[in-house]
Amino acid sequence: MSEIGPWGARDGRAATPGVSAETAVPASSPGAPPIDKGQSLPWAIGSTLLLGGFIWLTTGSWVVAVAAIFGLFVHEYGHVLAMNRLGMGPAKIYIIPFLGGLARGQRNPDSEWHGVLVALAGPAFGLLAILPVVGVWLATGDDAWMLGAFFIAMINLVNLAPAPPLDGSKALGPVLARIDPMVEKAALIAIGGLAVWWGVSTGRWILAIFLGLAVFGSLQRGAWRPGETKLTWPEAARSLGLFLLTGAACLGAAIGVLLPIADGSPGEALSIAARFIGFDQ
């Protein structure tokens, strides 16, 4: 099978023969991250253990922790695949202790449309991690694995919140900016504030501080996505459609995996979900 596809090569090379990704999209473009070799193996292992231990501590279940770490890697690998295909690679995965992970390309996307595809690739691809976890539940009958599957679905769903620096801000933000840049900025800051409030009210202080700093950083930022081609109106419509479709898939997966342990009751599934994310009915 050819190593070159319509979105570029698997390792991030450009799709046009003889033109490197560095030539197509210079690493020195405005706002582009510096080229690096990725997270060192000892630090990656240590960060993963710290994050897994933190999830275990907060949820009280090692099964949920294992499922969440697996789901996180699949989610970030979805971003990596899209980045490499769109000439932003070779992308790397970083694990951040107590917070989560991120995928980092070697250069910016060359258009906001590509940025939207990269942002949505993580939550969409990340849902695939639910399948083997549900398989383990079918084999063992241990309901903790279904809670782990729910946690995976929530990782992807929460990331669609249009609050900086979550994926939703990079997927929905360009659509709002197509209307007016101030509409984007006002919406992202408002939703970011709500996310901080949720973190504080549910005792997730580390997440609240992290989101608060991200919102503050967005206030200080001059240009939101410098050097990228703006969305056209058709691209904005497709971006909104893909965002809503991905969100519906994540929400459906989150409720669906809880139904077997809620005796098939959607109301009870919602009640379990509310307790799990910190809001008791």
Side-chain angles (χ1 to χ4, degrees):
M1 188 170 66
S2 173
E3 292 296 311
I4 300 291
W7 282 5
R10 292 188 179 86
D11 61 359
R13 291 178 288 114
T16 304
V19 180
S20 68
E22 288 79 9
T23 301
V25 188
S28 58
S29 60
I35 293 178
D36 57 57
K37 297 182 180 179
Q39 200 170 26
S40 68
L41 182 59
W43 179 238
I45 294 174
S47 298
T48 302
L49 291 175
L50 284 172
L51 180 59
F54 179 69
I55 297 173
W56 187 355
L57 178 66
T58 54
T59 64
S61 171
W62 69 266
V63 169
V64 172
V66 169
I69 292 296
F70 173 66
L72 178 67
F73 272 102
V74 175
H75 173 103
E76 298 302 338
Y77 192 64
H79 291 309
V80 166
L81 287 175
M83 287 178 179
N84 288 345
R85 288 289 185 173
L86 293 171
M88 298 168 60
K92 308 291 183 181
I93 294 176
Y94 293 79
I95 301 299
I96 306 172
F98 311 115
L99 285 173
L102 64 88
R104 187 178 186 183
Q106 302 295 348
R107 54 197 63 80
N108 282 343
D110 59 7
S111 68
E112 288 190 345
W113 171 241
H114 283 180
V116 170
L117 293 178
V118 168
L120 293 178
F125 192 80
L127 289 179
L128 295 177
I130 292 175
L131 298 178
V133 175
V134 171
V136 175
W137 170 74
L138 289 172
T140 64
D142 186 350
D143 287 345
W145 288 103
M146 290 304 267
L147 288 176
F150 168 74
F151 205 100
I152 292 173
M154 290 303 298
I155 287 174
N156 296 288
L157 182 61
V158 169
N159 262 283
L160 286 173
L166 301 177
D167 295 331
S169 66
K170 301 164 189 173
L172 191 59
V175 178
L176 299 175
R178 188 67 182 85
I179 302 171
D180 188 276
M182 289 306 298
V183 173
E184 175 194 23
K185 196 163 190 176
L188 298 192
I189 291 172
I191 297 173
L194 287 175
V196 172
W197 171 80
W198 170 75
V200 171
S201 63
T202 59
R204 293 167 169 83
W205 293 98
I206 295 177
L207 181 60
I209 293 171
F210 174 72
L211 291 174
L213 290 174
V215 172
F216 179 76
S218 70
L219 285 170
Q220 302 299 311
R221 194 179 310 163
W224 285 87
R225 287 168 301 277
E228 299 175 11
T229 304
K230 300 292 184 182
L231 290 178
T232 64
W233 281 114
E235 287 173 342
R238 289 197 295 271
S239 298
L240 180 59
L242 287 173
F243 175 82
L244 294 175
L245 182 62
T246 305
C250 292
L251 180 60
I255 300 302
V257 296
L258 291 179
L259 288 176
I261 60 177
D263 297 324
S265 169
E268 180 61 23
L270 289 171
S271 178
I272 295 172
R275 291 195 300 270
F276 206 72
I277 63 178
F279 292 115
D280 297 329
Q281 288 189 342

